[in-house]
Amino acid sequence: QVQLVESGGGLVQAGGSLRLSCAASGRTFSNYGIGWFRQAPGTEREFVARITWSGSSTTYTDSVKGRFTISKDNAKNTVYLQMNSLKPEDTGVYVCSAGRLWSNIARDYDYWGQGTQVTVSS
């Protein structure tokens, strides 16, 4: 059974930092990419960042470039999203996902976690 379990969300003031974790288990992910998406109330799920399982390639949405960094620890089967200089507009539920397509479109991903709430106060 595939499991993606996120952790690390919370409440932080604008300008602060958080590190999200996504622990993956249940199958071999060597041909998968891991993506982070976020969703604020009343909005559609938005792509944030993605990384290949090898860690060799990453992609970010424009609004987080220079502030967020996606990385992974192969030994722990865990993907991280380091978020710095957080802004109120970064608020939302952050969800990690795994998919065989190299894509920033949510429907291209096969597996999803439950999400972790990130709230940035002004």
Side-chain angles (χ1 to χ4, degrees):
Q1 180 180 357
V2 173
Q3 281 195 313
L4 300 173
V5 180
E6 303 94 336
S7 61
L11 173 64
V12 64
Q13 289 188 332
S17 298
L18 285 172
R19 188 178 80 157
L20 306 183
S21 299
C22 173
S25 63
R27 68 160 298 133
T28 300
F29 289 97
S30 57
N31 294 323
Y32 281 71
I34 303 296
W36 281 100
F37 290 77
R38 66 187 178 190
Q39 189 167 18
T43 68
E44 293 186 354
R45 190 164 287 184
E46 175 192 20
F47 167 77
V48 177
R50 63 181 186 233
I51 187 169
T52 55
W53 192 249
S54 67
S56 60
S57 296
T58 60
T59 305
Y60 300 90
T61 193
D62 285 346
S63 64
V64 308
K65 286 180 181 177
R67 300 189 297 122
F68 290 12
T69 303
I70 189 170
S71 63
K72 66 183 303 293
D73 184 328
N74 289 332
K76 296 182 178 180
N77 269 13
T78 299
V79 173
Y80 302 101
L81 186 67
Q82 178 66 45
M83 306 186 297
N84 299 329
S85 302
L86 282 161
K87 304 176 182 180
E89 52 263 43
D90 294 318
T91 294
V93 176
Y94 283 68
V95 187
C96 74
S97 56
R100 288 165 292 178
L101 297 178
W102 185 239
S103 171
N104 63 351
I105 300 173
R107 66 174 179 267
D108 289 337
Y109 285 77
D110 305 305
Y111 304 104
W112 293 87
Q114 293 299 309
T116 184
Q117 176 70 44
V118 171
T119 303
V120 184
S121 63
S122 58

